[in-house]
Amino acid sequence: MIKPLRIAIQFLTILPVKVRHPEEKDFGRALFYFPLTGCLLGALLGGLAAALHFLPPMVAAAILTVASVGLTGGIHLDGFADTCDGLYGGKNKDRALEIMRDSRIGVMGAAGVVLLLLLKFSVFSSFPSGELWKLLIVSAAFSRWAQSFACAFFNYAREEGKALNFIHHAREADIVLGLIIVLAPAFFFWRLQGVLLVVVSFLP
């Protein structure tokens, strides 16, 4: 397995993939593989959803919600909680960043995580099993691609952080090519409606 792909899997999942002596440029190249890693996560969750088809929908949705957090180590929930605390508690940029650096979770962060998980649970329980696994693959690929897009086209708010190597070595061509990894399954599952779904999801 090539090193940038291993970096993407190690960074985005808890899967036992080790990367020895990575170069800084490898982090930038790993962004191309973010949506592919998302496809992998979606496929794992889709397989679990298929295996749980005999359970009541709400029970299966609860297990899927737990699994989606477990497979990523909750990395996105941690960032989302920090964002909620910073946006609602910070009167200015410096204060918001100070709040986000605090390892303790605030009221808005806790509320945001609970509401986000409730939303995810409601989506998982609402879709028919025949469509849910497709949604899991495409949405997981798109969300990881969105991360790579942010690394390439947005400024980092801090002068230090885990994402700096990704940002400093991001290549716009990799981000554009990575979008193909998102559009391919969307088109395969739902044809032009799937492509339109991805485009609409990207609009601000």
Side-chain angles (χ1 to χ4, degrees):
M1 187 186 301
I2 58 178
K3 190 178 294 184
L5 176 57
R6 295 203 304 271
I7 291 174
I9 295 174
Q10 184 184 52
F11 186 77
L12 297 173
T13 77
I14 62 165
L15 298 179
V17 175
K18 300 296 182 182
V19 183
R20 295 181 179 179
H21 312 299
E23 299 179 19
E24 290 187 357
K25 63 181 181 180
D26 292 327
F27 288 88
R29 292 172 180 170
L31 295 175
F32 170 76
Y33 296 98
F34 270 36
L36 185 61
T37 303
C39 285
L40 173 61
L41 284 169
L44 291 174
L45 291 172
L48 178 60
L52 298 174
H53 73 279
F54 64 94
L55 293 175
M58 295 186 70
V59 176
I63 296 174
L64 278 175
T65 302
V66 172
S68 68
V69 175
L71 282 172
T72 62
I75 183 174
H76 302 99
L77 291 181
D78 182 54
F80 184 73
D82 287 341
T83 300
C84 290
D85 283 334
L87 288 178
Y88 282 93
K91 302 301 181 182
N92 52 57
K93 175 184 174 181
D94 291 337
R95 178 54 182 160
L97 291 175
E98 180 183 349
I99 292 173
M100 293 172 70
R101 288 191 188 96
D102 194 332
S103 59
R104 296 169 296 181
I105 187 171
V107 173
M108 294 310 302
V113 169
V114 170
L115 293 174
L116 181 63
L117 290 176
L118 281 174
L119 178 60
K120 180 177 286 192
F121 168 79
S122 68
V123 171
F124 289 166
S125 61
S126 299
F127 272 78
S129 58
E131 292 295 319
L132 180 58
W133 67 273
K134 302 175 185 178
L135 175 71
L136 288 168
I137 292 174
V138 175
S139 62
F142 176 80
S143 60
R144 274 68 186 182
W145 175 80
Q147 288 180 264
S148 68
F149 180 88
C151 287
F153 294 99
F154 290 91
N155 295 324
Y156 200 51
R158 299 175 180 170
E159 295 181 357
E160 73 285 334
K162 296 180 179 179
L164 277 182
N165 280 333
F166 291 103
I167 293 170
H168 286 167
H169 299 279
R171 301 187 301 184
E172 296 180 1
D174 287 339
I175 311 306
V176 174
L177 291 174
L179 182 58
I180 298 175
I181 300 176
V182 182
L183 293 174
F187 180 78
F188 181 77
F189 294 144
W190 303 301
R191 296 298 186 265
L192 291 180
Q193 288 182 336
V195 175
L196 181 61
L197 176 64
V198 172
V199 172
V200 171
S201 298
F202 182 68
L203 295 177

